[in-house]
Amino acid sequence: MLYSKMSVVSARCQGRALWCLAVDATDLDYRARTRSGCIPPELVSRLLERGHADVVELQAGRGEWFCALAWARVLGEQGREADALEALAPYVATGWWTAVVAAAKLLEGWGRIDEAIEISQTRMEAGHPMALEAYTRLLARHGRAEEAFDLLVPHVDDWVLATALVAVASVAGREEEAAALLVGRIRADHCCDGPWCCRGLDSDMALGLLATIRERQGHIDEAIALLRRRQITSINCRDQLADLLTRHDRVEELRAYAALDGHEEAVQRLAELLEEDGDVEGAIAVYGQAGGPATRDPNSAYELAQLLARHGRGGEAIAVMRAQADAHHSDDWILHALSELCLDQGRPADGLAHLDALDAQRGGEDEWELYWMRLPLIAACSGVDEAVERARAHPEGTAWYAAEHVAHLLAGVGRTEEAVTVLQQHDRRNSHDLAGYLVDLGRVEEALAILLHRSFPPPLVPTTHLWSDEPPF
């Protein structure tokens, strides 16, 4: 059976016989997270773009969540709100939070606020761990911010809900109450040594949220002082102090902050600010001064290279990344960045020369992970056929992971049938790529059979022996 935890049941909606799915939330969540055994969202978009809305509609009723979501949005755009909700109903009925959120967003977008609140409240009352945040933010957006604030107060030790509390406090006019709650959770006697040191709301997070309130109130100096007390300055590649200084055009303070070791995000924000103000040379100088960030940090060097390339200085950009590639032989992302930059700048031969020199240093034993990046460069210099031939001559050139790159080269010049042939030699190891190319060719049933792990009917007249007692069997 295709879905081990799904069974087809008959339902009757608005006088019409419909086939819905009694779907299992755990199974849905697994498929959505892993993109396995399902039609992934990028393929759903491809089907719609290629005029296969009927396929998306059909699969929406067969347990394909991404089809159901896309189809519901299409129906909503057509004004068919009841049909859109009907498409999501079997998924929402499981209690799966992703489906509940999707339905609530549709309802809110249509102005049906009470229904959106009701569906979120039901899950909150059922004890779903993520429902309270969504429910309270929804209330705050629609005139019930004080109620939302009161619901969040008992949960301020949870950093997600504390963040929601700070957002809701502004609308509710209760920012000082929120600030007092946060002050009580700042521990002067403890310094976190990592972003997940303390469970729940740690001192650094509390300081950041309190700074958000003070900035919103116009107390910029106080907000800056709070953020300077934090031990961990960067989370998820963002630096809250650097962002605050940028928003308020405190350029000199940002410059001084960026000059401190380990503040690469601040360096980037300063360079972005100067570039936006038209001071390109100043932005370059932020990265490129002697002993500056671009010389010691590959990420800053990459940002400098992108800045130079944006302003017509491709040769300098390549030189910056080549220096990093020479200094960090084992960091393949740097080599990828250098190769892509050479390709974008119309200098593929330069990229190949560097990779060839590195290959020689290693004794000509590049693994595929380092080898494949040269294929687009070869194609740009000598054509796709040369690149494909070189790929196949590599010791790993016939592996399933190499097939993806060869197929991409072929499809890029319109040779999609050949790309499909390459990928078909490896069964389902490249199923998403293969299915995408099959959709492009209009071979939708084959694409679905691969994605959903169903056996596709063989041709009526077999072209090979049906069995063999010699390998491969």
Side-chain angles (χ1 to χ4, degrees):
M1 187 174 181
L2 179 57
Y3 299 100
S4 59
K5 295 184 178 179
M6 301 181 181
S7 59
V8 180
V9 296
S10 179
R12 196 167 288 275
C13 303
Q14 299 179 349
R16 292 186 295 121
L18 297 175
W19 288 97
C20 302
L21 282 168
V23 291
D24 180 88
T26 302
D27 194 45
L28 283 169
D29 191 63
Y30 174 80
R31 291 174 185 276
R33 283 187 297 102
T34 64
R35 304 293 201 265
S36 62
C38 69
I39 306 173
E42 61 273 12
L43 263 296
V44 176
S45 298
R46 211 156 175 168
L47 285 165
L48 290 172
E49 290 166 3
R50 303 293 189 273
H52 300 292
D54 56 332
V55 175
V56 174
E57 179 184 10
L58 178 64
Q59 294 299 325
R62 292 183 173 180
E64 289 301 316
W65 163 246
F66 295 114
C67 286
L69 179 59
W71 185 237
R73 289 169 176 166
V74 169
L75 292 170
E77 290 168 1
Q78 296 173 352
R80 298 167 58 186
E81 295 176 7
D83 290 336
L85 293 176
E86 185 180 289
L88 295 183
Y91 304 89
V92 174
T94 69
W96 184 38
W97 180 240
T98 301
V100 172
V101 169
K105 284 183 177 179
L106 285 178
L107 288 164
E108 185 182 13
W110 299 333
R112 296 164 62 171
I113 309 304
D114 290 342
E115 292 172 81
I117 289 173
E118 181 182 359
I119 193 174
S120 301
Q121 182 179 13
T122 299
R123 296 308 301 150
M124 182 194 70
E125 292 173 347
H128 193 283
M130 298 171 64
L132 180 58
E133 181 200 9
Y135 177 64
T136 51
R137 287 181 181 273
L138 180 59
L139 288 178
R141 286 196 296 272
H142 297 286
R144 295 169 62 179
E146 290 209 39
E147 179 184 348
F149 187 90
D150 289 336
L151 286 169
L152 288 166
V153 166
H155 306 281
V156 70
D157 288 318
D158 181 307
W159 70 270
V160 173
L161 298 179
T163 302
L165 177 77
V166 169
V168 168
S170 174
V171 187
R174 298 172 69 175
E175 290 195 314
E176 285 306 324
E177 290 178 64
L181 289 169
L182 293 168
V183 168
R185 282 153 179 82
I186 298 172
R187 298 168 53 189
D189 60 342
H190 175 74
C191 293
C192 289
D193 57 4
W196 315 119
C197 171
C198 297
R199 298 185 64 181
L201 181 68
D202 61 37
S203 294
D204 273 5
M205 179 66 73
L207 285 165
L209 291 173
L210 183 56
T212 297
I213 292 175
R214 295 309 182 213
E215 182 188 5
R216 219 158 45 200
Q217 295 173 325
H219 306 315
I220 309 305
D221 289 334
E222 184 179 350
I224 291 171
L226 287 165
L227 292 174
R228 291 190 184 279
R229 291 170 57 187
R230 300 202 309 174
Q231 299 298 311
I232 301 169
T233 60
S234 175
I235 298 176
N236 294 330
C237 297
R238 300 300 302 182
D239 186 311
Q240 187 178 350
L241 177 55
D243 290 342
L244 185 152
L245 293 171
T246 301
R247 281 192 295 273
H248 296 280
D249 206 26
R250 310 276 282 256
V251 179
E252 293 310 313
E253 290 171 82
L254 179 58
R255 192 184 299 278
Y257 183 58
L260 300 175
D261 285 344
H263 289 182
E264 282 75 21
E265 286 80 7
V267 171
Q268 183 178 345
R269 294 300 289 124
L270 175 60
E272 289 171 350
L273 179 62
L274 293 171
E275 183 184 12
E276 289 167 7
D277 289 342
D279 185 5
V280 176
E281 291 300 327
I284 292 171
V286 169
Y287 289 116
Q289 56 193 350
T295 61
R296 62 177 182 264
D297 174 49
N299 292 309
S300 292
Y302 175 79
E303 295 298 335
L304 172 59
Q306 295 298 306
L307 171 63
L308 289 165
R310 282 196 298 273
H311 294 279
R313 296 164 67 168
E316 294 173 71
I318 290 172
V320 167
M321 290 311 299
R322 184 184 291 118
Q324 288 297 318
D326 287 337
H328 302 276
H329 289 171
S330 60
D331 288 351
D332 59 339
W333 79 266
I334 296 176
L335 294 175
H336 281 283
L338 173 60
S339 299
E340 290 175 1
L341 186 58
C342 288
L343 196 61
D344 291 342
Q345 294 299 315
R347 297 171 59 174
D350 290 351
L352 276 176
H354 187 89
L355 293 175
D356 287 341
L358 181 61
D359 188 34
Q361 292 176 22
R362 293 174 172 170
E365 296 181 355
D366 268 355
E367 296 179 353
W368 183 261
E369 188 60 31
L370 289 174
Y371 184 83
W372 75 263
M373 69 186 74
R374 71 179 59 229
L375 298 180
L377 301 170
I378 296 170
C381 289
S382 307
V384 167
D385 288 328
E386 175 69 15
V388 170
E389 183 178 345
R390 295 268 296 274
R392 287 172 173 161
H394 189 275
E396 300 172 72
T398 58
W400 67 269
Y401 46 83
E404 170 192 351
H405 301 111
V406 173
H408 182 72
L409 286 173
L410 292 166
V413 292
R415 293 159 64 175
T416 310
E417 289 279 6
E418 293 176 67
V420 166
T421 300
V422 168
L423 293 174
Q424 283 177 329
Q425 298 171 21
H426 301 279
D427 194 24
R428 299 187 178 93
R429 301 298 292 271
N430 295 292
S431 59
H432 287 190
D433 290 326
L434 176 55
Y437 294 138
L438 287 169
V439 168
D440 291 343
L441 294 172
R443 293 157 62 177
V444 175
E445 289 186 31
E446 290 180 69
L448 295 183
I450 290 165
L451 289 170
L452 304 180
H453 298 179
R454 292 195 288 256
S455 297
F456 190 70
L460 293 178
V461 180
T463 56
T464 60
H465 295 296
L466 296 180
W467 60 273
S468 172
D469 56 6
E470 296 291 333
F473 299 101

